[in-house]
Amino acid sequence: GAVVSQHPSWVICKSGTSVKIECRSLDFQATTMFWYRQFPKQSLMLMATSNEGSKATYEQGVEKDKFLINHASLTLSTLTVTSAHPEDSSFYICSATSPLVGGIHEQYFGPGTRLTVT
Amino acid sequence: DAKTTQPPSMDCAEGRAANLPCNHSTISGNEYVYWYRQIHSQGPQYIIHGLKNNETNEMASLIITEDRKSSTLILPHATLRDTAVYYCIVVGEYGNKLVFGAGTILRVKS
């Protein structure tokens, strides 16, 4: 149980275009979803926290107008990278939690999406 | 949330126990110790967590010192598939954010 999927697993886009990444909890309803970014040889950095039906809370230094997060249902959150630039190339990972599945600290992570902006 | 300190890397022979230390000297009474691991190019995976008592599950054991200032994650019989970055994270009782440090790269060798 507690499976989280991401789509796509990798994407290449041209500079200036936008790309959407989906995160789904497959077998549980996630009250909270998180989005992380990981650059090569670095650790995960939390970008934002989103709760179903409400606006996402962004970490300091993360541009909310550039990284649009929508958490429309208890099983789906999307991250849209708008006007992508090469420096946005990174590994984007989502996670989900539910108080009914493992508790608020036990996050279930997706497999990640590798974004390359050319 | 309290900061954690882990060695940057460790090696372990296949079949032997892997003991991964973590220092969290500023941990407060209501903060938990969580361990996650990340295999290369995958999302992290929850391993185990604890507050005061030692904990064991099917993946690992967590030993927390009596003063709670440090802990050790034990993989009893390491396999090559346990090669990963292991993260020790301290999180408050009511907090829900995980702050990932650099972690420990564990290399299991045959």
Side-chain angles (χ1 to χ4, degrees):
Chain A
V3 178
V4 176
S5 70
Q6 282 185 241
H7 178 79
S9 55
W10 60 270
V11 58
I12 301 173
C13 71
K14 292 188 175 182
S15 186
T17 62
S18 296
V19 61
K20 180 185 288 187
I21 302 169
E22 291 186 350
C23 175
R24 293 182 185 272
S25 56
L26 298 184
D27 52 2
F28 68 103
Q29 293 187 323
T31 49
T32 305
M33 287 186 167
F34 303 84
W35 286 96
Y36 297 81
R37 179 168 53 179
Q38 185 174 33
F39 293 108
K41 298 188 185 298
Q42 294 186 22
S43 190
L44 285 80
M45 294 293 294
L46 179 64
M47 299 176 67
T49 303
S50 75
N51 294 294
E52 184 262 342
S54 61
K55 290 184 177 181
T57 301
Y58 291 81
E59 295 299 302
Q60 192 171 8
V62 177
E63 301 173 57
K64 61 181 181 180
D65 295 330
K66 181 171 182 59
F67 299 99
L68 302 179
I69 292 172
N70 184 282
H71 192 162
S73 77
L74 285 172
T75 59
L76 173 64
S77 177
T78 60
L79 168 68
T80 301
V81 183
T82 62
S83 187
H85 289 97
E87 56 266 31
D88 298 323
S89 298
S90 188
F91 192 48
Y92 291 86
I93 309 169
C94 73
S95 71
T97 64
S98 168
L100 300 178
V101 182
I104 64 171
H105 302 143
E106 203 166 316
Q107 294 186 18
Y108 300 95
F109 286 82
T113 296
R114 187 158 304 281
L115 169 65
T116 301
V117 184
T118 60
Chain B
D1 296 331
K3 182 179 169 61
T4 62
T5 304
Q6 298 177 253
S9 65
M10 295 181 64
D11 290 341
C12 176
E14 188 178 21
R16 304 297 295 268
N19 297 286
L20 293 94
C22 179
N23 284 323
H24 31 78
S25 58
T26 60
I27 193 170
S28 61
N30 63 348
E31 290 183 317
Y32 289 78
V33 180
Y34 273 72
W35 284 83
Y36 284 79
R37 72 178 182 184
Q38 185 179 24
I39 296 170
H40 183 63
S41 294
Q42 296 182 24
Q45 176 190 22
Y46 164 81
I47 302 174
I48 199 168
H49 75 278
L51 182 63
K52 296 180 181 178
N53 299 322
N54 298 335
E55 302 289 339
T56 296
N57 63 20
E58 65 278 5
M59 288 184 68
S61 294
L62 174 60
I63 308 297
I64 302 174
T65 58
E66 194 168 340
D67 63 8
R68 301 186 69 237
K69 293 185 176 182
S70 66
S71 60
T72 301
L73 178 73
I74 301 172
L75 306 178
H77 305 286
T79 70
L80 298 178
R81 288 177 294 182
D82 292 321
T83 293
V85 180
Y86 287 77
Y87 298 99
C88 168
I89 302 170
V90 170
V91 60
E93 181 179 7
Y94 299 108
N96 65 350
K97 292 184 185 179
L98 297 178
V99 178
F100 287 82
T104 295
I105 299 171
L106 175 68
R107 300 185 191 90
V108 181
K109 300 184 176 182
S110 57

